[in-house]
Amino acid sequence: MKVEENQWVRLQFLSRVINKECQYLQETDQRLFTEPLTLLSIQQIEQDPVLAERLDAFVSRFGRLQDNLGDKLLPQLLAAMAEPIGTVMENLDRAEKLGWLESADTWIEIRKLRNQMVHEYIEDAAILISALQSGHAYVPVLTATAARLIAQIDKLAPPQ
């Protein structure tokens, strides 16, 4: 399949960005979860600027990777492959059928979690811990999805 030059340039750019985002998220994930997060540690976040910065970095990087994969890369890749572009759910269902996503339903759960971490975590430490632990569990899902999408992009490389 021949991909238009402008599509190829955009896909290559998104691949580079997402590779970096995966690396940064995994590094932050490792630093944040070196020791178990407890209610007490979260309640004392105002006295622990290092933990506060790690937490903010994790939430930001998790959300950015999820956004870039689902909202930017996936539609671009579908378009490059002459697949129909639809609603977010239709795109996720198509990606699942193509083997790029393990589950569209899981992706929606990740999206809801992202929204919860971004918008609700400041108010309740118990919600924050639960969201962070769920986010930690989903990091491998995000990075594996990124790897599958990037592998598909690599298959579209124009002949040298």
Side-chain angles (χ1 to χ4, degrees), residues 3-147:
V3 177
E4 293 181 24
E5 178 65 24
N6 63 335
Q7 288 177 317
W8 178 245
V9 169
R10 179 73 175 150
L11 288 170
Q12 287 300 110
F13 167 77
L14 289 169
S15 290
R16 290 189 306 272
V17 167
I18 286 170
N19 272 325
K20 287 179 186 177
E21 288 176 342
C22 285
Q23 176 189 341
Y24 298 155
L25 176 59
Q26 288 172 319
E27 290 170 358
T28 299
D29 182 66
Q30 289 171 353
R31 285 192 299 272
L32 183 60
F33 291 95
T34 298
E35 296 178 19
L37 292 175
T38 65
L39 190 56
L40 182 60
S41 66
I42 295 299
Q43 289 170 336
Q44 296 176 343
I45 199 166
E46 291 177 12
Q47 292 78 39
D48 189 346
V50 172
L51 178 60
E53 287 178 0
R54 285 180 183 165
L55 188 146
D56 284 344
F58 178 82
V59 169
S60 175
R61 290 172 175 177
F62 184 94
R64 192 168 36 250
L65 179 58
Q66 195 277 332
D67 286 344
N68 281 334
L69 287 170
D71 298 343
K72 293 184 180 159
L73 182 60
L74 180 56
Q76 286 288 320
L77 183 54
L78 288 170
M81 295 187 62
E83 293 284 343
I85 307 296
T87 65
V88 171
M89 199 63 217
E90 290 168 338
N91 292 345
L92 294 173
D93 285 340
R94 186 72 187 134
E96 183 179 348
K97 286 181 176 99
L98 292 167
W100 302 342
L101 286 180
E102 290 179 20
S103 163
D105 291 336
T106 299
W107 194 262
I108 296 300
E109 289 174 26
I110 293 170
R111 180 67 177 188
K112 288 178 183 175
L113 176 63
R114 172 234 176 256
N115 290 340
Q116 181 183 35
M117 285 192 297
V118 168
H119 300 296
E120 299 174 17
Y121 79 89
I122 299 286
E123 292 293 316
D124 187 328
I127 290 173
L128 175 58
I129 287 174
S130 175
L132 290 170
Q133 289 170 339
S134 294
H136 173 62
Y138 281 130
V139 168
V141 174
L142 288 174
T143 57
T145 300

